[in-house]
Amino acid sequence: MKFNFLLFLSLATMLYSCGSVNAQKESTIHQDTLSCIQQKIEAYKKQPLTNPPMSVYQYNYNGQVVYFVSAPCCDRYSVVYDKECNVICHPSGGITGRGDGKCADFFTARTDEKLLWKDERKPK
């Protein structure tokens, strides 16, 4: 009887530990996801001021969280990143101003806008 109880207690502890490890992994993944866009923002802050000033927005697009980074100038592309900072598309900019055509519906299909950062430095 004592052996069965110890075996049960060991198994229960292992199962509980596995759940905790999974919860920690999910938390780490979320933090890594947040840090990838934060790292990009920190890099943008170190670049020269652009005209118009750059900004980073978070949206839901096609069922996923994405980050939109405005074009820093002129005919340059804006960028949409997924939650792991992989480039999804360029919805605007370029020679035509219409981006790369990979997400032509971005501006009409995006939802849940959240401004994460806007460069508010003043020209010197």
Side-chain angles (χ1 to χ4, degrees), residues 59-112:
Y59 294 100
N60 286 324
Y61 175 66
N62 288 343
Q64 64 179 327
V65 172
V66 299
Y67 303 102
F68 171 80
V69 179
S70 64
C73 179
C74 321
D75 291 338
R76 295 180 61 191
Y77 285 126
S78 61
V79 184
V80 175
Y81 294 100
D82 68 12
K83 66 182 181 177
E84 293 162 351
C85 292
N86 299 306
V87 175
I88 295 175
C89 64
H90 303 279
S92 62
I95 202 97
T96 66
R98 295 185 188 145
D100 62 7
K102 293 181 181 177
C103 57
D105 68 340
F106 178 75
F107 293 109
T108 57
R110 66 187 181 181
T111 60
D112 303 321

